[in-house]
Amino acid sequence: MTPTTDPRAVLHDVFGFTDFRGRQAEIVAHVTAGGSGLVLMPTGGGKSLCYQVPALCRPGLGVVVSPLIALMEDQVAALRQQGVAAAALHSGLDEEERRQVSLDLANGRLKLLYVSPERLALEGTAERLARRDLALFAVDEAHCISAWGHNFRPEYRMLTMLAERFPEVPRVALTATADARTVDDIRERLSLTEAPVFRGSFDRPNIRIEVAPRDNATAQIAAFMEEADDGRGAGIIYCPSRAETERTAARLRRDGYDALHYHAGMDAADRRAAERRFSSGDPVVMAATIAFGMGIDRPDVRWVAHHALPGGPESWYQEIGRAGRDGAAARALLLYGAEDIAIARRRIAESPAADAQKRLDHERLDRLVAIVESATCRRRLLLRCFGDDLPQDCGNCDACLRPPRLVDATEAARKLLSAVHRTGGRFGLGHVVDVLRGKDTDKVGSFGHDKLSVFGIGRDVAEGAWKNIARHLLAHGALEMASETNLPIYQATEAARPILRGEQPVMLQEAALREAARAPRRSRAQRPGRPAPPIGGGEDSAFEALRAWRKEAATRQSVPAYVIFPDRTLADIAAQRPRTLDDLAEVHGVGASKLDRYGLDVLRVLRDAG
Ligand code: ADP
Ligand code: ZN
């Protein structure tokens, strides 16, 4: 079939663009000439034109299958703005609207019809379409047809009938998912195994990618928003739960942002209103679950933040791909914690899915974990998931911009694994860290954990650093979540053995351990000198409490009391009442080693002394 119109003229006249992007020209030529195919491009890569232009160039009606009403409505509205006779057929229409679409369809007045898969499968719809001259079928978000994909929709399975029922009509499937299994599945189910696959570049170099351990998510995201946005664009915060979207939006509104929430638990009208508000062009912040975004094609979204680990590299890339479609600088921040990884692993392990599916899910999660834990260019690893090999590091991810220094943390890792093991793999990380740091908590006392050989062997490493080490071990499979609970209770795995035996080094980013080194390593010379207060008398209860503690500590170690701290230092401490290790380090006579050995005990004695 020969094209009735020149694609480039349509691109210019209808869409107002001068050039096709990437592989668009090639795809449009192929489809316009009557060919079928599968198009793989990232979100924001320009997939729509790949079927819209051919549909306008070919005689007959173009039928676009789309999974979401909002997506259809927006596309139809945009096309109408461009003077294209477009309509949508879905369950959201009222009687009158449906009649109008049917009429236009029957009269041959439509050029593009968007339709939901379940509606297309209705015998009446197929029959009416069969009576028309059809330009093409486009199957958008085609990965929804595959159970291997990250967004399976059973109703997409009905689309397998297209090839049998309309063998002469070209079929274009489009997706931003590119893992081999899903691609094969799509080709098979849509009978595209003989048709070409057009794989565009998946790189979206304008999106800066940053990943950080979640510490204080609210503060981290606030700082990120401030940096990422000039106040004119919109942003999306992906939250792990519905409640979290509402909390986040409410908090942002209190801080003066125009913020909305969005999740699948809202009724359709509210969701639609939120979508419209977001699409309005105002600088809106959307706190949403992953239910939000498919079909949102606002071009000037400036940033996307993730509160927690996304479902996999594909969903992550799809979600951050919603930023910067206009090609201008955009940013993405991903925050994650050890529990995200642990919970994701557990969820897969305990899902009722078939083993083959579980293996794929595990593999997908492992690829994501490798990216977020990476010390080298994250974009290279990410794009590799889509079959793209960047010839060099991207220069626009946090690993490229601030290359982390790696340090050997093997010793600390072994201590942590031993502590997990010695405490029986039955306790949360907080308790294990208390044991390592030699804290005298009730729990430590009641389980007799102060008698363990690991008690207090990790005082030199700060709590936050221990958490980072744990996350790293978890990411690399040396720790796993205990199976009978959803609490962050960790157990050592087989993979811990070579580490415990010292056969396998554990390298960690220096920043992850930095907290550890900060307080104790400060040199005496840097501290401001302070006049020594008079030595406290018996009336100072803190001083007395410290002396009592010192006596006990000295007796336990069979050393003279003054080698632990001279009276003068105890008096200084009692007078200054430090509340943190940093403050304590400022006290005359408290060196790094003593801070390590006794710091926490001293602070506890002070607290107890009131
Ligand atoms: P996808 O469906 O792949 O996520 P879209 O089709 O929504 O991406 O396109 C993303 C953005 O890029 C849209 O704003 C679209 O108008 C724009 N765009 C696509 N192709 C071109 C082109 N050839 N020239 C200019 N802008 C384009
Ligand atoms: Zn990079």
Side-chain angles (χ1 to χ4, degrees), residues 337-358:
E339 61 278 22
D340 299 2
I341 302 172
I343 290 170
R345 289 222 172 108
R346 277 285 304 289
R347 195 172 290 154
I348 296 168
E350 289 173 3
S351 92
D355 285 349
Q357 174 78 58
K358 285 188 182 185

Side-chain angles (χ1 to χ4, degrees), residues 14 21 66-67 127 353 381 384 421:
V14 178
R21 258 191 209 161
S66 174
E127 220 159 69
L381 292 177
R384 210 163 286 156
H421 181 68

Side-chain angles (χ1 to χ4, degrees), residues 17-326:
F17 299 144
T18 42
D19 285 303
F20 284 113
R21 258 191 209 161
R23 303 195 69 177
Q24 277 176 339
E26 204 185 329
I27 298 163
V28 165
H30 174 78
V31 180
T32 302
S36 293
L38 174 58
V39 174
L40 309 178
M41 272 186 200
T43 311
K47 288 186 286 300
S48 317
L49 287 186
C50 297
Y51 58 83
Q52 288 171 344
V53 173
L56 297 182
C57 291
R58 288 171 59 79
L61 172 74
V63 180
V64 185
V65 183
S66 174
L68 280 181
I69 295 177
L71 176 74
M72 295 189 227
E73 290 291 338
D74 286 353
Q75 295 253 7
V76 166
L79 285 164
R80 286 184 176 160
Q81 291 295 315
Q82 285 151 337
V84 177
L89 203 52
H90 53 71
S91 58
L93 300 183
D94 64 30
E95 202 45 50
E96 174 53 30
E97 289 167 321
R98 189 157 31 236
R99 215 180 359 251
Q100 187 60 50
V101 175
S102 298
L103 205 62
D104 289 346
L105 183 59
N107 292 337
R109 278 202 290 260
L110 291 177
K111 198 61 196 125
L112 270 168
L113 177 70
Y114 283 75
V115 61
S116 59
E118 52 275 18
R119 183 128 306 255
L120 178 59
L122 292 182
E123 189 45 39
T125 311
E127 220 159 69
R128 272 186 294 161
L129 290 179
R131 275 186 241 124
R132 304 245 57 89
D133 195 9
L134 297 178
L136 56 83
F137 282 105
V139 179
D140 207 2
E141 312 286 356
H143 57 279
C144 294
I145 205 171
S146 172
W148 307 115
H150 59 90
N151 210 349
F152 178 49
R153 288 171 178 252
E155 62 275 18
Y156 259 65
R157 283 289 161 86
M158 302 162 180
L159 299 177
T160 50
M161 63 87 170
L162 287 180
E164 297 151 27
R165 183 105 198 224
F166 303 94
E168 73 295 348
V169 180
R171 292 178 305 283
V172 202
L174 309 101
T175 178
T177 300
D179 74 75
R181 193 73 183 249
T182 308
V183 167
D184 287 348
D185 209 19
I186 296 171
R187 295 182 80 192
E188 198 160 308
R189 290 182 188 275
L190 291 176
S191 305
L192 291 172
T193 46
E194 308 289 314
V197 176
F198 299 93
R199 180 187 286 274
S201 165
F202 271 76
D203 198 6
R204 298 279 312 279
N206 61 316
I207 303 174
R208 174 171 296 181
I209 298 171
E210 286 166 282
V211 178
R214 186 173 54 242
D215 171 16
N216 176 343
T218 308
Q220 286 170 296
I221 290 176
F224 167 72
M225 284 168 62
E226 205 142 287
E227 257 181 53
D229 201 346
D230 56 7
R232 277 175 286 144
I236 306 172
I237 303 176
Y238 281 109
C239 303
S241 69
R242 295 174 180 184
E244 189 61 46
T245 66
E246 297 182 10
R247 270 199 299 276
T248 302
R251 196 166 47 228
L252 288 168
R253 278 195 297 273
R254 275 201 301 278
D255 291 345
Y257 287 93
D258 189 354
L260 302 170
H261 67 265
Y262 187 104
H263 55 70
M266 293 157 61
D267 68 42
D270 290 345
R271 283 209 305 271
R272 193 69 195 114
E275 284 162 0
R276 283 194 202 286
R277 182 83 186 78
F278 189 78
S279 302
S280 70
D282 291 339
V284 182
V285 177
M286 185 67 82
T289 62
I290 53 166
F292 179 76
M294 209 198 261
I296 299 295
D297 40 20
R298 179 171 177 163
D300 64 343
V301 176
R302 287 275 67 82
W303 54 267
V304 173
H306 280 79
H307 221 281
L309 203 65
E314 290 85 5
S315 15
W316 183 38
Y317 205 42
Q318 185 172 47
E319 284 146 22
I320 66 177
R322 289 166 189 150
R325 284 184 195 218
D326 53 9

